[in-house]
Amino acid sequence: MDDVERTERIVVQKADKIWLDGELVDWDKANVHVLTHTLHYGLGAFEGIRCYQCEDGRSQVFRLRDHVRRLFDSAHLLMMDIPFSQEEIFEACKETLRANKQEEAYLRPLVFFGDGAMGLGSAENKVRLAIITWKWGAYLGEEALEKGIHAKVSSYMRNSPRSLFPKGKVVGHYVNSILAKREAMLAGYDEAIMLDGEGFVSEASGENIFIVRDGVVKTPGYSTGALGGITWDTVVKLLGDMNIPVEFDRFARDELYLADEVFMCGTAAEITPVRAVDERKIGEGKRGPIATKVQKAYFDLMHGKYGAREEWLDFL
Ligand code: PMP
């Protein structure tokens, strides 16, 4: 094990500005104190959003309103009152991209408790909000999009709704995802698939999951304990546009192994096929026909050439 050192190095390319608590500040000045509450206890919420450049040269932020809404939902679950309106954050995301002159970027709004009081019972610290934007290519690599990845069923259980809020994109939840992801990578796999407390497939460390068998697509339903992925919802609707039936149901590890196709989706990972899970090849061990169609529709949509669903594109 010692000679397997697999890490992903996603180096953030510095831009000019970061939006912090209502104003654009210089990138290097967007710093916080070490007593920042969220740094100690993980109570915070964040989003991951992408901005793509379309065929006609314009840039669009994909489903920005839905992402901003989920940020506020996550904060609501944590009883953190964001001192801005959704509309203000919606505009601030676009303002940050414009200030950084980024035509394509990943956006990371982050809600956190500032410094001041310490301890688990303190809730009076200022709720702060940062929006950082940076260039980010394919999360799992270009090759992954084309050839598919090798995933491992994790030994870590997905966060349970009995103890946390899987529908919230909460900072501290990601300890669970990171442990699963690192376990998978250190064992030579690309990504982790996590089961819920009852042994049903929930999702990957940062992606929702779909399986296909005999032309029918299946995915765990919205209420089954995975994050309510915005890409997941997008894929469901794109499949609908293609008249491909989707079933919302739980499935266990055996169905995963027996699938003709498995694919994952998320803002960062986009549409990523899975060519193998654990020691089993999935289907023919390459990107399958439905994943290929979904991927094409998704990238067409992102680049303004899908010809429908334009209400999801917020142009800069
Ligand atoms: N599940 C988890 C645990 C995630 O972190 C993400 C990424 N936000 C997703 C699913 C996919 O969500 P979305 O499509 O909204 O990016």
Side-chain angles (χ1 to χ4, degrees):
M1 207 199 82
D2 291 341
D3 55 350
V4 188
E5 186 40 65
R6 286 183 50 121
T7 55
E8 257 170 3
R9 286 201 75 221
I10 297 171
V11 181
V12 173
Q13 250 183 54
K14 192 167 142 176
D16 278 351
K17 301 283 181 192
I18 286 176
W19 190 97
L20 186 61
D21 301 325
E23 53 187 289
L24 287 167
V25 300
D26 288 342
W27 182 278
D28 289 327
K29 300 216 167 95
N31 302 316
V32 295
H33 197 273
V34 287
L35 277 172
T36 295
H37 195 278
T38 306
L39 206 52
H40 296 250
Y41 307 120
L43 195 82
F46 68 100
E47 269 307 314
I49 310 168
R50 273 191 192 265
C51 168
Y52 290 86
Q53 189 169 31
C54 294
E55 226 181 11
D56 64 5
R58 291 187 298 166
S59 292
Q60 64 92 5
V61 189
F62 188 62
R63 296 189 70 168
L64 179 56
R65 281 189 196 281
D66 295 316
H67 281 283
V68 171
R69 182 177 180 210
R70 188 172 65 185
L71 183 70
F72 279 70
D73 284 350
S74 301
H76 176 70
L77 291 170
L78 302 177
M79 295 181 288
M80 294 174 84
D81 284 327
I82 299 178
F84 300 97
S85 66
Q86 291 197 31
E87 196 56 37
E88 283 170 321
I89 300 309
F90 173 82
E91 288 303 330
C93 286
K94 299 209 280 189
E95 191 191 340
T96 312
L97 288 167
R98 282 193 291 260
N100 287 327
K101 300 185 180 62
Q102 286 157 323
E103 284 145 351
E104 293 215 318
Y106 180 84
L107 291 80
R108 166 57 53 80
L110 172 70
V111 174
F112 59 103
F113 263 140
D115 55 299
M118 266 309 197
L120 304 184
S122 54
E124 65 268 32
N125 289 3
K126 184 174 156 192
V127 175
R128 306 188 61 186
L129 206 157
I131 302 169
I132 310 113
T133 64
W134 69 86
K135 288 251 177 216
W136 201 352
Y139 174 60
L140 295 162
E142 286 294 334
E143 202 181 299
L145 295 176
E146 204 190 306
K147 300 207 168 123
I149 58 164
H150 190 178
K152 172 184 173 17
V153 173
S154 184
S155 72
Y156 294 95
M157 188 185 93
R158 165 73 183 157
N159 294 325
S160 161
R162 288 201 180 103
S163 49
L164 292 164
F165 298 123
K167 288 287 165 282
K169 199 164 163 59
V170 171
V171 175
H173 288 183
Y174 282 82
V175 173
N176 180 246
S177 287
I178 290 172
L179 290 173
K181 174 90 181 175
R182 293 206 63 203
E183 175 190 62
M185 293 188 75
L186 288 167
Y189 300 83
D190 305 301
E191 185 52 283
I193 295 175
M194 301 169 81
L195 308 181
D196 66 18
E198 292 176 85
F200 292 98
V201 173
S202 180
E203 59 176 332
S205 68
E207 301 88 18
N208 292 104
I209 192 161
F210 289 82
I211 60 171
V212 185
R213 179 143 169 140
D214 296 334
V216 177
V217 181
K218 197 187 269 193
T219 186
Y222 180 78
S223 315
T224 51
L227 184 76
I230 290 165
T231 319
W232 175 85
D233 182 70
T234 303
V235 168
V236 166
K237 289 177 176 141
L238 294 179
L239 286 164
D241 291 351
M242 294 184 253
N243 292 317
I244 297 174
V246 184
E247 284 178 9
F248 301 95
D249 202 0
R250 307 203 294 182
F251 53 87
R253 194 172 173 159
D254 44 8
E255 271 193 71
L256 190 63
Y257 291 154
L258 294 173
D260 301 327
E261 289 186 51
V262 175
F263 59 92
M264 297 176 176
C265 70
T267 299
E270 298 162 314
I271 314 295
T272 300
V274 177
R275 63 180 152 77
V277 180
D278 297 331
E279 280 59 61
R280 279 95 174 159
K281 195 161 84 168
I282 300 297
E284 290 175 19
K286 55 181 195 184
R287 178 172 63 187
I290 293 189
T292 304
K293 277 191 201 162
V294 171
Q295 214 179 42
K296 179 172 187 316
Y298 188 77
F299 285 122
D300 278 355
L301 179 60
M302 294 308 127
H303 297 113
K305 43 185 184 169
Y306 185 64
R309 303 213 176 259
E310 290 193 350
E311 66 279 10
W312 281 339
L313 316 187
D314 261 301
F315 291 99
L316 276 195

PDB file of all heavy atoms in Angstrom, residues 132-163:
ATOM      1  N   ILE A 132     -16.044  32.201  -4.608  1.00  0.00           N
ATOM      2  CA  ILE A 132     -14.735  32.067  -5.247  1.00  0.00           C
ATOM      3  C   ILE A 132     -14.985  31.441  -6.620  1.00  0.00           C
ATOM      4  O   ILE A 132     -15.806  30.528  -6.746  1.00  0.00           O
ATOM      5  CB  ILE A 132     -13.795  31.149  -4.425  1.00  0.00           C
ATOM      6  CG1 ILE A 132     -13.793  31.585  -2.954  1.00  0.00           C
ATOM      7  CG2 ILE A 132     -12.375  31.164  -4.971  1.00  0.00           C
ATOM      8  CD1 ILE A 132     -14.408  30.621  -2.001  1.00  0.00           C
ATOM      9  N   THR A 133     -14.282  31.917  -7.625  1.00  0.00           N
ATOM     10  CA  THR A 133     -14.441  31.333  -8.966  1.00  0.00           C
ATOM     11  C   THR A 133     -13.065  30.979  -9.503  1.00  0.00           C
ATOM     12  O   THR A 133     -12.113  31.733  -9.326  1.00  0.00           O
ATOM     13  CB  THR A 133     -15.135  32.322  -9.936  1.00  0.00           C
ATOM     14  OG1 THR A 133     -14.289  33.463 -10.125  1.00  0.00           O
ATOM     15  CG2 THR A 133     -16.486  32.782  -9.419  1.00  0.00           C
ATOM     16  N   TRP A 134     -12.958  29.807 -10.090  1.00  0.00           N
ATOM     17  CA  TRP A 134     -11.676  29.423 -10.683  1.00  0.00           C
ATOM     18  C   TRP A 134     -11.896  28.512 -11.885  1.00  0.00           C
ATOM     19  O   TRP A 134     -12.972  27.961 -12.054  1.00  0.00           O
ATOM     20  CB  TRP A 134     -10.759  28.769  -9.642  1.00  0.00           C
ATOM     21  CG  TRP A 134     -11.147  27.409  -9.139  1.00  0.00           C
ATOM     22  CD1 TRP A 134     -10.837  26.213  -9.714  1.00  0.00           C
ATOM     23  CD2 TRP A 134     -11.883  27.080  -7.939  1.00  0.00           C
ATOM     24  NE1 TRP A 134     -11.326  25.171  -8.948  1.00  0.00           N
ATOM     25  CE2 TRP A 134     -11.966  25.676  -7.853  1.00  0.00           C
ATOM     26  CE3 TRP A 134     -12.468  27.844  -6.910  1.00  0.00           C
ATOM     27  CZ2 TRP A 134     -12.618  25.012  -6.806  1.00  0.00           C
ATOM     28  CZ3 TRP A 134     -13.123  27.185  -5.866  1.00  0.00           C
ATOM     29  CH2 TRP A 134     -13.189  25.788  -5.816  1.00  0.00           C
ATOM     30  N   LYS A 135     -10.858  28.397 -12.663  1.00  0.00           N
ATOM     31  CA  LYS A 135     -10.904  27.541 -13.864  1.00  0.00           C
ATOM     32  C   LYS A 135     -10.822  26.105 -13.406  1.00  0.00           C
ATOM     33  O   LYS A 135      -9.946  25.757 -12.628  1.00  0.00           O
ATOM     34  CB  LYS A 135      -9.681  27.825 -14.742  1.00  0.00           C
ATOM     35  CG  LYS A 135      -9.753  29.140 -15.436  1.00  0.00           C
ATOM     36  CD  LYS A 135      -9.975  28.899 -16.928  1.00  0.00           C
ATOM     37  CE  LYS A 135     -10.123  30.239 -17.628  1.00  0.00           C
ATOM     38  NZ  LYS A 135     -11.059  30.205 -18.703  1.00  0.00           N
ATOM     39  N   TRP A 136     -11.726  25.267 -13.870  1.00  0.00           N
ATOM     40  CA  TRP A 136     -11.676  23.855 -13.468  1.00  0.00           C
ATOM     41  C   TRP A 136     -12.122  23.007 -14.643  1.00  0.00           C
ATOM     42  O   TRP A 136     -13.261  23.103 -15.092  1.00  0.00           O
ATOM     43  CB  TRP A 136     -12.600  23.633 -12.254  1.00  0.00           C
ATOM     44  CG  TRP A 136     -12.258  22.409 -11.458  1.00  0.00           C
ATOM     45  CD1 TRP A 136     -11.356  21.446 -11.785  1.00  0.00           C
ATOM     46  CD2 TRP A 136     -12.804  22.027 -10.187  1.00  0.00           C
ATOM     47  NE1 TRP A 136     -11.302  20.497 -10.793  1.00  0.00           N
ATOM     48  CE2 TRP A 136     -12.174  20.817  -9.815  1.00  0.00           C
ATOM     49  CE3 TRP A 136     -13.767  22.589  -9.327  1.00  0.00           C
ATOM     50  CZ2 TRP A 136     -12.480  20.160  -8.620  1.00  0.00           C
ATOM     51  CZ3 TRP A 136     -14.065  21.926  -8.157  1.00  0.00           C
ATOM     52  CH2 TRP A 136     -13.419  20.738  -7.799  1.00  0.00           C
ATOM     53  N   GLY A 137     -11.227  22.191 -15.140  1.00  0.00           N
ATOM     54  CA  GLY A 137     -11.548  21.307 -16.258  1.00  0.00           C
ATOM     55  C   GLY A 137     -12.349  20.110 -15.770  1.00  0.00           C
ATOM     56  O   GLY A 137     -13.027  20.170 -14.743  1.00  0.00           O
ATOM     57  N   ALA A 138     -12.266  18.997 -16.501  1.00  0.00           N
ATOM     58  CA  ALA A 138     -13.014  17.789 -16.136  1.00  0.00           C
ATOM     59  C   ALA A 138     -12.523  17.285 -14.771  1.00  0.00           C
ATOM     60  O   ALA A 138     -11.332  17.022 -14.598  1.00  0.00           O
ATOM     61  CB  ALA A 138     -12.826  16.726 -17.207  1.00  0.00           C
ATOM     62  N   TYR A 139     -13.434  17.155 -13.817  1.00  0.00           N
ATOM     63  CA  TYR A 139     -13.097  16.799 -12.427  1.00  0.00           C
ATOM     64  C   TYR A 139     -12.369  15.460 -12.338  1.00  0.00           C
ATOM     65  O   TYR A 139     -11.398  15.301 -11.611  1.00  0.00           O
ATOM     66  CB  TYR A 139     -14.396  16.772 -11.619  1.00  0.00           C
ATOM     67  CG  TYR A 139     -14.284  16.292 -10.186  1.00  0.00           C
ATOM     68  CD1 TYR A 139     -13.473  16.953  -9.267  1.00  0.00           C
ATOM     69  CD2 TYR A 139     -15.028  15.198  -9.739  1.00  0.00           C
ATOM     70  CE1 TYR A 139     -13.399  16.531  -7.947  1.00  0.00           C
ATOM     71  CE2 TYR A 139     -14.963  14.766  -8.425  1.00  0.00           C
ATOM     72  CZ  TYR A 139     -14.140  15.435  -7.525  1.00  0.00           C
ATOM     73  OH  TYR A 139     -14.072  15.004  -6.225  1.00  0.00           O
ATOM     74  N   LEU A 140     -12.844  14.486 -13.098  1.00  0.00           N
ATOM     75  CA  LEU A 140     -12.210  13.160 -13.040  1.00  0.00           C
ATOM     76  C   LEU A 140     -11.307  12.922 -14.258  1.00  0.00           C
ATOM     77  O   LEU A 140     -10.886  11.809 -14.523  1.00  0.00           O
ATOM     78  CB  LEU A 140     -13.282  12.068 -12.913  1.00  0.00           C
ATOM     79  CG  LEU A 140     -14.083  12.119 -11.600  1.00  0.00           C
ATOM     80  CD1 LEU A 140     -15.377  11.333 -11.707  1.00  0.00           C
ATOM     81  CD2 LEU A 140     -13.284  11.599 -10.415  1.00  0.00           C
ATOM     82  N   GLY A 141     -11.035  13.976 -14.982  1.00  0.00           N
ATOM     83  CA  GLY A 141     -10.146  13.884 -16.142  1.00  0.00           C
ATOM     84  C   GLY A 141     -10.916  13.674 -17.438  1.00  0.00           C
ATOM     85  O   GLY A 141     -11.979  13.075 -17.449  1.00  0.00           O
ATOM     86  N   GLU A 142     -10.334  14.189 -18.527  1.00  0.00           N
ATOM     87  CA  GLU A 142     -10.968  14.064 -19.856  1.00  0.00           C
ATOM     88  C   GLU A 142     -11.170  12.598 -20.240  1.00  0.00           C
ATOM     89  O   GLU A 142     -12.184  12.213 -20.821  1.00  0.00           O
ATOM     90  CB  GLU A 142     -10.102  14.734 -20.930  1.00  0.00           C
ATOM     91  CG  GLU A 142     -10.136  16.256 -20.918  1.00  0.00           C
ATOM     92  CD  GLU A 142     -11.503  16.836 -21.277  1.00  0.00           C
ATOM     93  OE1 GLU A 142     -12.272  16.163 -21.993  1.00  0.00           O
ATOM     94  OE2 GLU A 142     -11.799  17.961 -20.819  1.00  0.00           O
ATOM     95  N   GLU A 143     -10.172  11.771 -19.901  1.00  0.00           N
ATOM     96  CA  GLU A 143     -10.226  10.366 -20.271  1.00  0.00           C
ATOM     97  C   GLU A 143     -11.407   9.671 -19.599  1.00  0.00           C
ATOM     98  O   GLU A 143     -12.045   8.793 -20.192  1.00  0.00           O
ATOM     99  CB  GLU A 143      -8.907   9.702 -19.869  1.00  0.00           C
ATOM    100  CG  GLU A 143      -8.636   8.450 -20.648  1.00  0.00           C
ATOM    101  CD  GLU A 143      -7.339   7.781 -20.220  1.00  0.00           C
ATOM    102  OE1 GLU A 143      -6.280   8.416 -20.357  1.00  0.00           O
ATOM    103  OE2 GLU A 143      -7.406   6.618 -19.737  1.00  0.00           O
ATOM    104  N   ALA A 144     -11.702  10.099 -18.369  1.00  0.00           N
ATOM    105  CA  ALA A 144     -12.811   9.501 -17.623  1.00  0.00           C
ATOM    106  C   ALA A 144     -14.130   9.719 -18.353  1.00  0.00           C
ATOM    107  O   ALA A 144     -14.987   8.840 -18.402  1.00  0.00           O
ATOM    108  CB  ALA A 144     -12.876  10.108 -16.233  1.00  0.00           C
ATOM    109  N   LEU A 145     -14.292  10.892 -18.948  1.00  0.00           N
ATOM    110  CA  LEU A 145     -15.535  11.208 -19.655  1.00  0.00           C
ATOM    111  C   LEU A 145     -15.721  10.283 -20.850  1.00  0.00           C
ATOM    112  O   LEU A 145     -16.832   9.907 -21.197  1.00  0.00           O
ATOM    113  CB  LEU A 145     -15.528  12.665 -20.127  1.00  0.00           C
ATOM    114  CG  LEU A 145     -15.520  13.753 -19.044  1.00  0.00           C
ATOM    115  CD1 LEU A 145     -15.421  15.132 -19.672  1.00  0.00           C
ATOM    116  CD2 LEU A 145     -16.774  13.670 -18.177  1.00  0.00           C
ATOM    117  N   GLU A 146     -14.610   9.920 -21.465  1.00  0.00           N
ATOM    118  CA  GLU A 146     -14.682   9.111 -22.675  1.00  0.00           C
ATOM    119  C   GLU A 146     -14.652   7.616 -22.393  1.00  0.00           C
ATOM    120  O   GLU A 146     -15.436   6.848 -22.947  1.00  0.00           O
ATOM    121  CB  GLU A 146     -13.485   9.503 -23.544  1.00  0.00           C
ATOM    122  CG  GLU A 146     -13.704   9.234 -24.989  1.00  0.00           C
ATOM    123  CD  GLU A 146     -12.414   9.421 -25.745  1.00  0.00           C
ATOM    124  OE1 GLU A 146     -11.806  10.508 -25.624  1.00  0.00           O
ATOM    125  OE2 GLU A 146     -12.009   8.454 -26.431  1.00  0.00           O
ATOM    126  N   LYS A 147     -13.750   7.224 -21.525  1.00  0.00           N
ATOM    127  CA  LYS A 147     -13.549   5.777 -21.317  1.00  0.00           C
ATOM    128  C   LYS A 147     -14.265   5.237 -20.093  1.00  0.00           C
ATOM    129  O   LYS A 147     -14.419   4.029 -19.941  1.00  0.00           O
ATOM    130  CB  LYS A 147     -12.051   5.493 -21.178  1.00  0.00           C
ATOM    131  CG  LYS A 147     -11.281   5.902 -22.426  1.00  0.00           C
ATOM    132  CD  LYS A 147     -10.018   5.080 -22.583  1.00  0.00           C
ATOM    133  CE  LYS A 147      -9.421   5.272 -23.956  1.00  0.00           C
ATOM    134  NZ  LYS A 147      -8.054   5.745 -23.908  1.00  0.00           N
ATOM    135  N   GLY A 148     -14.631   6.114 -19.196  1.00  0.00           N
ATOM    136  CA  GLY A 148     -15.288   5.656 -17.978  1.00  0.00           C
ATOM    137  C   GLY A 148     -14.273   5.437 -16.863  1.00  0.00           C
ATOM    138  O   GLY A 148     -13.073   5.327 -17.109  1.00  0.00           O
ATOM    139  N   ILE A 149     -14.779   5.350 -15.667  1.00  0.00           N
ATOM    140  CA  ILE A 149     -13.902   5.197 -14.498  1.00  0.00           C
ATOM    141  C   ILE A 149     -14.103   3.831 -13.848  1.00  0.00           C
ATOM    142  O   ILE A 149     -15.065   3.118 -14.123  1.00  0.00           O
ATOM    143  CB  ILE A 149     -14.161   6.311 -13.447  1.00  0.00           C
ATOM    144  CG1 ILE A 149     -15.624   6.288 -12.989  1.00  0.00           C
ATOM    145  CG2 ILE A 149     -13.767   7.663 -13.988  1.00  0.00           C
ATOM    146  CD1 ILE A 149     -15.869   7.069 -11.714  1.00  0.00           C
ATOM    147  N   HIS A 150     -13.166   3.522 -12.965  1.00  0.00           N
ATOM    148  CA  HIS A 150     -13.248   2.288 -12.184  1.00  0.00           C
ATOM    149  C   HIS A 150     -13.605   2.703 -10.750  1.00  0.00           C
ATOM    150  O   HIS A 150     -12.844   3.393 -10.088  1.00  0.00           O
ATOM    151  CB  HIS A 150     -11.890   1.580 -12.234  1.00  0.00           C
ATOM    152  CG  HIS A 150     -11.926   0.194 -11.664  1.00  0.00           C
ATOM    153  ND1 HIS A 150     -10.833  -0.628 -11.649  1.00  0.00           N
ATOM    154  CD2 HIS A 150     -12.925  -0.505 -11.080  1.00  0.00           C
ATOM    155  CE1 HIS A 150     -11.169  -1.785 -11.089  1.00  0.00           C
ATOM    156  NE2 HIS A 150     -12.419  -1.725 -10.725  1.00  0.00           N
ATOM    157  N   ALA A 151     -14.784   2.303 -10.311  1.00  0.00           N
ATOM    158  CA  ALA A 151     -15.252   2.728  -8.978  1.00  0.00           C
ATOM    159  C   ALA A 151     -15.182   1.588  -7.977  1.00  0.00           C
ATOM    160  O   ALA A 151     -15.189   0.409  -8.357  1.00  0.00           O
ATOM    161  CB  ALA A 151     -16.690   3.231  -9.086  1.00  0.00           C
ATOM    162  N   LYS A 152     -15.122   1.978  -6.718  1.00  0.00           N
ATOM    163  CA  LYS A 152     -15.084   0.976  -5.638  1.00  0.00           C
ATOM    164  C   LYS A 152     -16.263   1.205  -4.707  1.00  0.00           C
ATOM    165  O   LYS A 152     -16.555   2.355  -4.353  1.00  0.00           O
ATOM    166  CB  LYS A 152     -13.778   1.174  -4.862  1.00  0.00           C
ATOM    167  CG  LYS A 152     -13.659   0.353  -3.586  1.00  0.00           C
ATOM    168  CD  LYS A 152     -12.361   0.739  -2.883  1.00  0.00           C
ATOM    169  CE  LYS A 152     -12.158   0.139  -1.518  1.00  0.00           C
ATOM    170  NZ  LYS A 152     -12.920  -0.987  -1.101  1.00  0.00           N
ATOM    171  N   VAL A 153     -16.919   0.145  -4.328  1.00  0.00           N
ATOM    172  CA  VAL A 153     -17.954   0.289  -3.309  1.00  0.00           C
ATOM    173  C   VAL A 153     -17.229   0.530  -1.994  1.00  0.00           C
ATOM    174  O   VAL A 153     -16.349  -0.233  -1.589  1.00  0.00           O
ATOM    175  CB  VAL A 153     -18.869  -0.954  -3.242  1.00  0.00           C
ATOM    176  CG1 VAL A 153     -19.826  -0.840  -2.070  1.00  0.00           C
ATOM    177  CG2 VAL A 153     -19.653  -1.092  -4.544  1.00  0.00           C
ATOM    178  N   SER A 154     -17.574   1.627  -1.371  1.00  0.00           N
ATOM    179  CA  SER A 154     -16.832   2.090  -0.200  1.00  0.00           C
ATOM    180  C   SER A 154     -17.144   1.288   1.055  1.00  0.00           C
ATOM    181  O   SER A 154     -18.244   0.767   1.226  1.00  0.00           O
ATOM    182  CB  SER A 154     -17.209   3.553   0.047  1.00  0.00           C
ATOM    183  OG  SER A 154     -16.458   4.063   1.109  1.00  0.00           O
ATOM    184  N   SER A 155     -16.183   1.251   1.954  1.00  0.00           N
ATOM    185  CA  SER A 155     -16.450   0.652   3.274  1.00  0.00           C
ATOM    186  C   SER A 155     -17.134   1.686   4.172  1.00  0.00           C
ATOM    187  O   SER A 155     -17.593   1.359   5.253  1.00  0.00           O
ATOM    188  CB  SER A 155     -15.153   0.168   3.918  1.00  0.00           C
ATOM    189  OG  SER A 155     -14.371   1.262   4.338  1.00  0.00           O
ATOM    190  N   TYR A 156     -17.164   2.938   3.719  1.00  0.00           N
ATOM    191  CA  TYR A 156     -17.830   3.988   4.505  1.00  0.00           C
ATOM    192  C   TYR A 156     -19.285   4.108   4.070  1.00  0.00           C
ATOM    193  O   TYR A 156     -19.575   4.189   2.877  1.00  0.00           O
ATOM    194  CB  TYR A 156     -17.150   5.347   4.295  1.00  0.00           C
ATOM    195  CG  TYR A 156     -15.748   5.377   4.838  1.00  0.00           C
ATOM    196  CD1 TYR A 156     -14.657   5.128   4.005  1.00  0.00           C
ATOM    197  CD2 TYR A 156     -15.505   5.634   6.178  1.00  0.00           C
ATOM    198  CE1 TYR A 156     -13.359   5.141   4.492  1.00  0.00           C
ATOM    199  CE2 TYR A 156     -14.211   5.651   6.676  1.00  0.00           C
ATOM    200  CZ  TYR A 156     -13.146   5.402   5.832  1.00  0.00           C
ATOM    201  OH  TYR A 156     -11.874   5.409   6.324  1.00  0.00           O
ATOM    202  N   MET A 157     -20.160   4.165   5.039  1.00  0.00           N
ATOM    203  CA  MET A 157     -21.580   4.339   4.752  1.00  0.00           C
ATOM    204  C   MET A 157     -21.856   5.815   4.435  1.00  0.00           C
ATOM    205  O   MET A 157     -21.242   6.689   5.033  1.00  0.00           O
ATOM    206  CB  MET A 157     -22.364   3.934   6.007  1.00  0.00           C
ATOM    207  CG  MET A 157     -23.840   3.876   5.857  1.00  0.00           C
ATOM    208  SD  MET A 157     -24.584   3.524   7.491  1.00  0.00           S
ATOM    209  CE  MET A 157     -24.893   5.204   8.053  1.00  0.00           C
ATOM    210  N   ARG A 158     -22.756   6.062   3.531  1.00  0.00           N
ATOM    211  CA  ARG A 158     -23.182   7.440   3.249  1.00  0.00           C
ATOM    212  C   ARG A 158     -23.850   8.018   4.507  1.00  0.00           C
ATOM    213  O   ARG A 158     -24.584   7.305   5.204  1.00  0.00           O
ATOM    214  CB  ARG A 158     -24.171   7.418   2.071  1.00  0.00           C
ATOM    215  CG  ARG A 158     -24.993   8.671   1.837  1.00  0.00           C
ATOM    216  CD  ARG A 158     -24.216   9.814   1.267  1.00  0.00           C
ATOM    217  NE  ARG A 158     -25.075  11.000   1.143  1.00  0.00           N
ATOM    218  CZ  ARG A 158     -24.624  12.243   1.103  1.00  0.00           C
ATOM    219  NH1 ARG A 158     -23.331  12.487   1.165  1.00  0.00           N
ATOM    220  NH2 ARG A 158     -25.453  13.250   0.995  1.00  0.00           N
ATOM    221  N   ASN A 159     -23.612   9.296   4.753  1.00  0.00           N
ATOM    222  CA  ASN A 159     -24.228   9.982   5.897  1.00  0.00           C
ATOM    223  C   ASN A 159     -25.696   9.609   6.010  1.00  0.00           C
ATOM    224  O   ASN A 159     -26.435   9.631   5.032  1.00  0.00           O
ATOM    225  CB  ASN A 159     -24.164  11.504   5.695  1.00  0.00           C
ATOM    226  CG  ASN A 159     -22.740  12.028   5.725  1.00  0.00           C
ATOM    227  OD1 ASN A 159     -21.905  11.518   6.462  1.00  0.00           O
ATOM    228  ND2 ASN A 159     -22.459  13.033   4.911  1.00  0.00           N
ATOM    229  N   SER A 160     -26.109   9.320   7.216  1.00  0.00           N
ATOM    230  CA  SER A 160     -27.488   8.894   7.420  1.00  0.00           C
ATOM    231  C   SER A 160     -28.390  10.075   7.757  1.00  0.00           C
ATOM    232  O   SER A 160     -27.995  10.966   8.509  1.00  0.00           O
ATOM    233  CB  SER A 160     -27.508   7.905   8.591  1.00  0.00           C
ATOM    234  OG  SER A 160     -28.816   7.803   9.103  1.00  0.00           O
ATOM    235  N   PRO A 161     -29.622  10.057   7.241  1.00  0.00           N
ATOM    236  CA  PRO A 161     -30.557  11.127   7.628  1.00  0.00           C
ATOM    237  C   PRO A 161     -30.920  11.060   9.111  1.00  0.00           C
ATOM    238  O   PRO A 161     -31.525  11.976   9.650  1.00  0.00           O
ATOM    239  CB  PRO A 161     -31.785  10.872   6.740  1.00  0.00           C
ATOM    240  CG  PRO A 161     -31.623   9.524   6.171  1.00  0.00           C
ATOM    241  CD  PRO A 161     -30.192   9.129   6.267  1.00  0.00           C
ATOM    242  N   ARG A 162     -30.530   9.964   9.780  1.00  0.00           N
ATOM    243  CA  ARG A 162     -30.758   9.894  11.225  1.00  0.00           C
ATOM    244  C   ARG A 162     -29.807  10.802  11.993  1.00  0.00           C
ATOM    245  O   ARG A 162     -30.092  11.178  13.120  1.00  0.00           O
ATOM    246  CB  ARG A 162     -30.544   8.457  11.724  1.00  0.00           C
ATOM    247  CG  ARG A 162     -31.638   7.508  11.319  1.00  0.00           C
ATOM    248  CD  ARG A 162     -31.637   6.307  12.254  1.00  0.00           C
ATOM    249  NE  ARG A 162     -32.678   5.389  11.881  1.00  0.00           N
ATOM    250  CZ  ARG A 162     -32.465   4.247  11.215  1.00  0.00           C
ATOM    251  NH1 ARG A 162     -31.245   3.882  10.900  1.00  0.00           N
ATOM    252  NH2 ARG A 162     -33.473   3.478  10.897  1.00  0.00           N
ATOM    253  N   SER A 163     -28.645  11.082  11.398  1.00  0.00           N
ATOM    254  CA  SER A 163     -27.689  11.899  12.130  1.00  0.00           C
ATOM    255  C   SER A 163     -27.360  13.214  11.424  1.00  0.00           C
ATOM    256  O   SER A 163     -26.931  14.164  12.067  1.00  0.00           O
ATOM    257  CB  SER A 163     -26.400  11.121  12.384  1.00  0.00           C
ATOM    258  OG  SER A 163     -25.952  10.516  11.204  1.00  0.00           O
TER     259      SER A 163
END
